Amino acid sequence: MPTIDLPRLHTDRAWRDAARRLIAAQIPPEDVLWTFATPAQDDLFAGTTPAPMPTAPITVPKSFVALADTVAWHADPERFARLYALLWRLRDHPGLMQDRGDPDLARLRQMEKNVRRCAHKMKAFVRFRDIDGDGPRRAFAAWFEPTHHTVEPTAPFFTRRFADMDWMIVTPDVTARFDAGRLSLHEGQPKPDLPEDGAEALWGTYFRNIFNPARVKVQAMTSEMPRKYWKNMPETRHIPELLANAERRAREMAEAAPSLPPLRAGRILDRLHEDRRADPLSFAALAARAEEENRRAEPGYGRIVLGEGPQDAALMIVGEQPGDEEDRAGRPFVGPAGQLFDRAAQTAGLDRRQAYVTNAVKRFKFQMRGKRRIHQAPNRGEVQHGRWWLRQEVDLVKPQLILAMGANAAEALTGRRDGILARRGMVEETEFGPVLLTLHPAYLLRLPDPAAREAATAHFRADLAMAVARLTA
Ligand code: URA
């Protein structure tokens, strides 16, 4: 079995060379073992190339090359094997790169996104400190802990951005140095003891001043600036205090407003108070509130459809928003998506009657086409608004597990709507409790390709079975 040991530098090129040889020699994916030199194991440039094999030109879609060049920097040890397996399948299915329902491609696309996101975070969150260099240029150093192997692909950005200084970005994996305009890559190092510099205090003051307490959205902030980066960013030490005082400062700002009543700040404060209310409304009060809101009908929207099911259910199931039939019946998941859900649940051993079934957004949104009401996806503001209702339901039912079906439910519960295909089947800890992510049944209904639909439905069933297993464990 060929074992391909890839180096930690120029990994993208090394993978491409190896894959080209293997494919030319018609070695199937299951016969190849891919390994990657870890910092403890080897030097940076180590790695063995496969024994020479007959090479013949092969043609691969550009989109695959771009995908492979990015995924090569992912931290998942399986990345090379996954790429090679897709490359192998591409020989017989040249249109595969366009198949959005293909689970292997979807997984790799998600990995590509992870690497891009990591590179983006690196560009945004590396914080240099002034160190006394002995050369004619000012010298800076930064310590950073990337999730993926993004130092090498990101280094050119820093050379352009900080072309006129010497700098060094130290990570546990690889260190990038830029001396006198020349970039070099070296072994990673443990965290160096970097001196705090004067610019940091100035930066902290600036950060405190641009912080707007009336616009605090902790979830959005931590999704943009994940907590794992905080420890290496000097300004984040101010965040706890800024958050603790946000409500008071927003109130003071509202009271100090010179002219008309600050409607927006008032609404934010109302929401802050509502969100922090110690006791949720009772089920009856919630229903009364829904009825009250239903009296103010809005064109293009149906009525509020609250969840249904046992009030102490261990499992809460959250969909997107009621559809036409749900709006007419005043009950969630009774239309085509609900019927598909019911069939899948039955196969997976999930008894819907024992779950509390609800939606992220409570009103059907539609556009009239002739006499038909055509479903419109909720926008972000509507998902955000739905979180208030969801919070009430979660606080009342206190489920042990929440099953989030689709991107809107994921966004409402986890703050993120991206990457459902890669995140499905996994439980994420959230402010609402543990949330198991899965696909939305309507997504399965819309998949045009029967094979893709079958594969996605199998995943959906597996996720429902996982919910059952988790609750019975
Ligand atoms: N789709 C949903 O997300 N919820 C329903 O209640 C019906 C269809």
Side-chain angles (χ1 to χ4, degrees):
M1 168 179 287
T3 299
I4 314 296
D5 188 20
L6 294 170
R8 262 180 303 136
L9 286 188
H10 312 321
T11 319
D12 50 349
R13 271 180 263 158
W15 181 85
R16 233 191 287 148
D17 286 350
R20 192 177 292 129
R21 289 158 185 256
L22 292 166
I23 213 103
Q26 310 219 20
I27 312 256
E30 58 276 18
D31 287 355
V32 187
L33 186 66
W34 297 91
T35 63
F36 181 63
T38 62
Q41 244 178 8
D42 243 319
D43 76 61
L44 271 180
F45 296 90
T48 53
T49 41
M53 293 173 183
T55 52
I58 59 156
T59 319
V60 175
K62 271 199 191 128
S63 54
F64 176 79
V65 178
L67 176 77
D69 282 353
T70 306
V71 172
W73 304 114
H74 201 278
D76 183 349
E78 292 295 312
R79 62 197 182 282
F80 307 118
R82 286 184 191 284
L83 283 169
Y84 188 61
L86 191 77
L87 179 62
W88 184 259
R89 289 177 57 209
L90 267 170
R91 296 171 327 151
D92 299 326
H93 302 96
L96 186 56
M97 292 302 290
Q98 275 72 51
D99 184 353
R100 298 179 64 182
D102 185 85
D104 297 337
L105 177 60
R107 173 63 68 119
L108 285 163
R109 285 268 178 242
Q110 182 55 41
M111 292 167 80
E112 179 185 37
K113 243 194 213 167
N114 297 150
V115 173
R116 290 236 167 92
R117 183 173 153 89
C118 179
H120 172 73
K121 298 290 174 221
M122 184 162 171
K123 290 174 193 170
F125 299 150
V126 160
R127 296 285 179 265
F128 285 107
R129 284 181 166 174
D130 203 341
I131 52 173
D132 276 339
D134 40 17
R137 300 176 5 134
R138 289 184 70 193
F140 294 83
W143 163 252
F144 195 68
E145 294 166 273
T147 312
H148 302 286
H149 303 280
T150 38
V151 177
E152 184 178 338
T154 317
F157 162 84
F158 288 97
T159 61
R160 287 191 300 276
R161 183 94 164 69
F162 303 109
D164 60 346
M165 60 192 218
D166 290 342
W167 50 259
M168 175 163 80
I169 301 174
V170 185
T171 81
D173 184 28
V174 168
T175 293
R177 292 187 69 118
F178 191 61
D179 293 309
R182 217 185 121 259
L183 175 71
S184 55
L185 298 162
H186 308 262
E187 280 294 345
Q189 291 170 33
K191 183 175 182 177
D193 199 8
L194 295 172
E196 203 165 302
D197 71 34
E200 238 154 59
L202 207 58
W203 171 230
T205 309
Y206 172 74
F207 181 77
R208 286 203 310 277
N209 278 292
I210 57 164
F211 181 88
N212 184 345
R215 289 206 164 173
V216 180
K217 282 198 186 131
V218 178
Q219 250 198 349
M221 180 172 76
T222 49
S223 141
E224 257 314 295
M225 192 200 278
R227 281 181 203 272
K228 67 179 173 196
Y229 297 110
W230 287 21
K231 59 181 184 297
N232 297 318
M233 297 167 66
E235 69 271 29
T236 53
R237 70 175 74 126
H238 303 291
I239 292 178
E241 179 220 326
L242 290 169
L243 288 181
N245 293 329
E247 190 175 343
R248 177 182 55 76
R249 284 187 56 207
R251 197 179 331 109
E252 285 168 3
M253 279 163 63
E255 281 161 6
S259 51
L260 286 173
L263 215 54
R264 189 177 146 71
R267 277 206 303 263
I268 289 167
L269 284 175
D270 283 354
R271 211 182 317 138
L272 278 171
H273 288 134
E274 269 180 348
D275 284 352
R276 286 178 191 170
R277 189 193 348 254
D279 301 318
L281 297 179
S282 64
F283 277 105
L286 199 59
R289 178 95 170 235
E291 237 172 65
E292 188 188 312
E293 292 226 358
N294 282 339
R295 269 185 236 124
R296 291 190 294 262
E298 279 190 61
Y301 291 89
R303 60 168 140 171
I304 290 187
V305 177
L306 287 175
E308 68 172 20
Q311 299 188 348
D312 57 352
L315 177 66
M316 178 179 276
I317 297 171
V318 181
E320 178 192 86
Q321 68 171 353
D324 183 49
E325 293 190 38
E326 285 78 15
D327 181 55
R328 291 180 202 283
R331 294 181 53 210
F333 281 106
V334 293
Q339 286 155 23
L340 191 152
F341 171 79
D342 287 345
R343 286 196 298 277
Q346 204 176 19
T347 324
L350 190 158
D351 184 355
R352 170 178 168 163
R353 289 164 307 177
Q354 291 187 14
Y356 185 89
V357 181
T358 189
N359 282 298
V361 175
K362 298 290 187 258
R363 286 176 190 269
F364 173 46
K365 180 173 161 190
F366 59 88
Q367 249 180 17
M368 291 308 291
R369 201 168 298 155
K371 286 193 178 150
R372 291 177 57 212
R373 304 193 298 173
I374 307 297
H375 164 272
Q376 302 294 303
N379 61 32
R380 289 204 133 155
E382 284 152 358
V383 173
Q384 196 58 30
H385 178 76
R387 293 181 81 234
W388 182 86
W389 293 93
L390 209 48
R391 165 53 69 203
Q392 300 295 321
E393 288 178 304
V394 171
D395 285 352
L396 285 167
V397 177
K398 298 188 181 59
Q400 288 166 35
L401 179 67
I402 304 178
L403 179 72
M405 301 198 296
N408 287 297
E411 179 170 359
L413 291 159
T414 72
R416 279 180 53 206
R417 60 182 298 108
D418 60 303
I420 293 301
L421 289 176
R423 291 162 70 200
R424 60 142 285 275
M426 288 192 266
V427 175
E428 296 184 9
E429 288 304 327
T430 74
E431 64 183 270
F432 291 91
V435 172
L436 171 60
L437 294 158
T438 190
L439 310 170
H440 193 283
Y443 164 78
L444 307 177
L445 285 173
R446 283 195 302 265
L447 279 175
D449 174 38
R453 192 179 329 126
E454 202 173 305
T457 308
H459 282 147
F460 183 57
R461 277 196 223 107
D463 295 344
L464 299 186
M466 184 190 285
V468 177
R470 203 179 147 108
L471 289 171
T472 45

